[in-house]
Amino acid sequence: MKERQPSILGATCTVLTVILALIWLFPIYWIAATSLKPETQTIAMPPTFVPSPPTLESFVYVVQNSPIFRWYLNTVWVSAVVTFCSVLFALMCSYALSRLEFRGKPLIYALLLVGFMLPFSTMAIPLFMLMNRLHFVNSYAGLILPQIATPLSVIVFKQFFDAVPADFRHAAVIDGAGEFRILFNIYVPLNWSIIWAMGIVTFIGTWNNFFWPFIITNSTPMLTIPVGMTQVQSAYGIAFAKTSAIAVMASIPTAVAYLLFQKRVTQGVMAAAGIKG
Amino acid sequence: MSTTDPPGKSVLATTTAAEVDRPQTRPQTPRRKGWPIAWALVAPFVFFYGLFLIYPAIQVCYLSLTNSDIAGQGGFIGLRNYVELMRDRDFWDSVVHTIYFVLLTVVPNTAVGFFLALLVVRLKRLRLPILSAFFLPYILPVSVVTTSALWILDANFGIFNYLTGNTTAWFQDPHAAMPAVALVTIWWTVGFNMLLFIAGLQNIPADCYEAAAIDGANGFQKFINITCPLIWPVASLVLVLQLIAQFKIFDQVYLLTGGGPYNSTTVVLLYMYRQAFQQNRGGYASAVAIMLVIIIILVSAVQFQLLRGRRAK
């Protein structure tokens, strides 16, 4: 008797979980459905739950009447450069912290801790002034440069490098390999999975970043997608199908990246929170 | 392998502190004149970090003592900004609104995350799709989340009011606006907390449950006496991360309500943004930023003490 009870309870639980998950996904479905409706159908009462017939007219309108492809390009470029530089520099720095002794090391640790405690947004004002003085407002440099140094990646990579047996480096040093070669030929290949994970998480994070691009850009051709789409909305007024269409376009890249690299994203998110997956 | 931390149990807050304090006692590699190469390795990171993080951090302290405009022009005025802040009702209102938002999100977001993790972790074949369903909102840009929320919670045409027979204008009603922003935030970010809890639940050794089962414990007893105490380190990590994250609330409020109605959702960072970029008061806005940092540090310290006290019991 005792064995059977949990299985009924378990089945109920599973059904409830599935229903809850569907409710959780409903807003995403609703945005996708709205983007495929003609504008008049979106405000019809009672609402139609499945667009019939589905139409792409909102997408066509958005593509023709907003610089969305320019924003796409901006966002891809910014996210790619930030991800590449941030991962590369973090790898180099964490390797030195993990494997080399040098003067100034305690200072770097202290600065890393400071960076953890200070929220980026509270530094937006001096950062904006600095960018203004360097004439980087409304430029790729202004968007990219402040996002490159990510202390979190340094800490995560350092933990993984610490776990590599010291003999590996020892042997390579005896063979006469330089530190850069040891890093890129031994330490990087050994830790590919976490590097990938942090890379994808950095990419998604940069793609989605709203606050800094919002502060540093105000000219339409320089906006990134998350900032640009909010401008379109205020320009369209009430146009639910069109704003939904642009929302769908803005989220497709990150959603696809997540669904393709699910395991890596999960690993990266957990590593960033300090839990090794 | 001797330097490896026990997998799964390392928690950032403690690990980093420990790592910094730990003396470098690795008896290894032949020493060579390493420091030029070491500096070459750290230089790019240190350059960007110093120029775009440490320098602004120092600069914001100095700016808070000046009457600079947003271009940085202005002179030293001592503590006058802070004196003005103490008497600035709008600022203290924004602090109260922020704390209200923190209360509405931190504990609920942690509790819902834990609840979802409990539901997901017992699944087998359905696990990955269900986990993705709860986590998917987290990887959407904030403006997509707010666009969806504005549409779904629209007073007249929104599906939520239609299905629930409600007529609340969620983002125009001063009483409903902040809870609505909190609700949207939880929907958006709870997947992250759920993920941390799932990792924590998986790290509870199965032996514990087996031993309890032999002793005749039922499911509820196992949950109270094994799951809850063993998940507590993860729960306190989530609470700390949540607290710091929610104090920084800006994006959702700016996009959903713009701080309204009647400033009822104007939070500290929004107030800072307005002072800096609309009132052109860079110095005063910097003082607001410093106050926010102080508040975050104070509240984290209090929370840290509370959580530690709880753990000691």
Side-chain angles (χ1 to χ4, degrees):
Chain A
M1 280 308 273
K2 259 218 146 181
E3 287 298 299
R4 203 166 280 175
Q5 226 175 2
S7 77
I8 296 167
L9 195 74
T12 329
C13 257
T14 306
V15 171
L16 280 176
T17 312
V18 171
I19 293 174
L20 198 61
L22 292 177
I23 295 175
W24 218 257
L25 282 179
F26 180 75
I28 295 174
Y29 166 76
W30 193 241
I31 283 289
T34 308
S35 71
L36 294 171
K37 290 177 187 172
E39 203 64 74
T40 47
Q41 212 180 86
T42 61
I43 53 172
M45 283 290 164
T48 26
F49 282 86
V50 180
S52 59
T55 162
L56 288 174
E57 66 182 50
S58 298
F59 287 93
V60 173
Y61 183 89
V62 165
V63 167
Q64 285 174 346
N65 291 283
S66 76
I68 186 161
F69 281 115
R70 173 70 202 236
W71 294 339
Y72 250 118
L73 238 77
N74 290 346
T75 321
V76 169
W77 174 241
V78 169
S79 310
V81 175
V82 167
T83 305
F84 179 79
C85 294
S86 130
V87 169
L88 178 67
F89 297 164
L91 280 172
M92 288 160 62
C93 184
S94 54
Y95 175 76
L97 290 177
S98 169
R99 288 300 174 225
L100 303 175
E101 298 302 327
F102 57 96
R103 217 187 291 176
K105 203 164 157 179
L107 181 72
I108 295 180
Y109 280 126
L111 292 181
L112 282 174
L113 273 187
V114 171
F116 268 120
M117 296 197 289
L118 290 180
F120 179 85
S121 30
T122 57
M123 286 175 277
I125 295 157
L127 207 49
F128 178 83
M129 290 177 185
L130 176 68
M131 288 311 186
N132 198 13
R133 229 172 302 149
L134 297 169
H135 301 287
F136 283 165
V137 175
N138 279 320
S139 73
Y140 289 120
L143 283 164
I144 291 170
L145 296 177
Q147 300 194 65
I148 285 181
T150 42
L152 206 53
S153 310
V154 175
I155 300 286
V156 170
F157 290 150
K158 182 187 174 296
Q159 283 177 348
F160 278 80
F161 286 169
D162 282 349
V164 176
D167 299 349
F168 283 38
R169 174 165 175 272
H170 201 127
V173 169
I174 289 168
D175 288 349
E179 302 296 349
F180 276 91
R181 273 197 63 190
I182 300 176
L183 168 60
F184 289 109
N185 289 350
I186 300 175
Y187 280 74
V188 168
L190 279 175
N191 292 290
W192 255 132
S193 80
I194 189 65
I195 295 169
W196 255 110
M198 292 309 286
I200 293 164
V201 168
T202 309
F203 187 89
I204 294 178
T206 315
W207 184 284
N208 289 348
N209 191 355
F210 179 83
F211 187 74
W212 181 243
F214 168 73
I215 296 284
I216 199 67
T217 55
N218 56 22
S219 84
T220 309
M222 285 311 296
L223 302 180
T224 60
I225 279 231
V227 181
M229 64 172 285
T230 64
Q231 306 250 320
V232 170
Q233 280 159 29
S234 37
Y236 290 170
I238 296 181
F240 295 117
K242 296 185 187 78
T243 51
S244 298
I246 204 163
V248 168
M249 291 179 79
S251 35
I252 281 178
T254 44
V256 169
Y258 171 62
L259 294 175
L260 282 180
F261 305 106
Q262 223 167 12
K263 254 179 79 183
R264 291 278 164 267
V265 176
T266 313
Q267 188 190 6
V269 167
M270 294 212 255
I275 295 178
K276 283 185 193 170
Chain B
M1 287 305 281
S2 58
T3 49
T4 325
D5 292 320
K9 286 291 163 65
S10 74
V11 160
L12 180 73
T14 52
T15 324
T16 34
E19 222 112 59
V20 174
D21 294 339
R22 188 191 300 161
Q24 299 293 321
T25 49
R26 236 174 262 116
Q28 25 155 298
T29 28
R31 284 196 153 256
R32 45 182 167 182
K33 277 180 226 144
W35 71 264
I37 186 80
W39 269 102
L41 282 163
V42 297
F45 177 82
V46 168
F47 172 77
F48 283 99
Y49 193 68
L51 187 58
F52 298 114
L53 210 130
I54 300 298
Y55 168 75
I58 298 166
Q59 192 68 10
V60 74
C61 300
Y62 170 72
L63 279 170
S64 74
L65 304 173
T66 69
N67 59 0
S68 302
D69 59 13
I70 195 59
Q73 306 295 319
F76 186 80
I77 56 163
L79 291 171
R80 238 176 285 169
N81 283 331
Y82 290 96
V83 174
E84 189 185 336
L85 261 186
M86 290 301 144
R87 282 188 244 131
D88 183 345
R89 264 211 69 166
D90 290 341
F91 168 70
W92 290 109
D93 280 348
S94 75
V95 173
V96 170
H97 299 149
T98 309
I99 291 173
Y100 181 43
F101 178 78
V102 165
L103 290 176
L104 284 174
T105 46
V106 171
V107 173
N109 212 359
T110 309
V112 176
F114 182 45
F115 175 70
L116 293 182
L118 286 174
L119 288 180
V120 170
V121 84
R122 47 174 289 283
L123 298 173
K124 291 192 179 68
R125 218 179 311 158
L126 278 172
R127 186 168 181 164
L128 201 60
I130 298 285
L131 186 147
S132 321
F134 290 127
F135 190 71
L136 195 59
Y138 185 69
I139 54 111
L140 297 178
V142 62
S143 22
V144 170
V145 172
T146 55
T147 303
S148 323
L150 285 171
W151 169 216
I152 286 160
L153 295 174
D154 186 84
N156 303 313
F157 306 110
I159 188 77
F160 184 84
N161 278 3
Y162 172 80
L163 290 177
T164 57
N166 213 311
T167 52
T168 315
W170 292 100
F171 299 111
Q172 285 84 42
D173 179 336
H175 297 294
M178 197 60 108
V181 175
L183 186 75
V184 172
T185 305
I186 291 172
W187 178 76
W188 181 33
T189 59
V190 75
F192 173 75
N193 298 341
M194 176 197 70
L195 218 51
L196 300 191
F197 276 118
I198 290 177
L201 289 171
Q202 283 171 336
N203 282 329
I204 297 177
D207 323 3
C208 294
Y209 292 109
E210 283 160 19
I214 292 169
D215 290 345
N218 63 27
F220 181 72
Q221 285 170 324
K222 281 189 225 165
F223 177 74
I224 293 293
N225 295 314
I226 298 174
T227 312
C228 285
L230 288 179
I231 205 71
W232 181 246
V234 178
S236 55
L237 166 74
V238 171
L239 283 170
V240 171
L241 292 177
Q242 278 295 308
L243 189 83
I244 296 173
Q246 307 305 356
F247 260 108
K248 294 188 291 185
I249 167 82
F250 173 86
D251 301 356
Q252 302 98 294
V253 160
Y254 179 82
L255 292 169
L256 286 171
T257 66
Y262 312 113
N263 281 337
S264 62
T265 57
T266 302
V267 289
V268 176
L269 276 179
L270 187 56
Y271 189 66
M272 179 197 88
Y273 169 77
R274 283 190 190 149
Q275 288 296 326
F277 295 97
Q278 289 169 3
Q279 311 288 326
N280 199 14
R281 300 183 70 190
Y284 193 65
S286 300
V288 175
I290 296 281
M291 290 297 285
L292 179 66
V293 172
I294 291 174
I295 293 172
I296 292 181
I297 290 175
L298 281 180
V299 176
S300 317
V302 169
Q303 191 193 30
F304 184 73
Q305 287 299 326
L306 286 176
L307 293 180
R308 212 181 46 170
R310 177 81 194 269
R311 204 181 303 181
K313 269 182 211 169

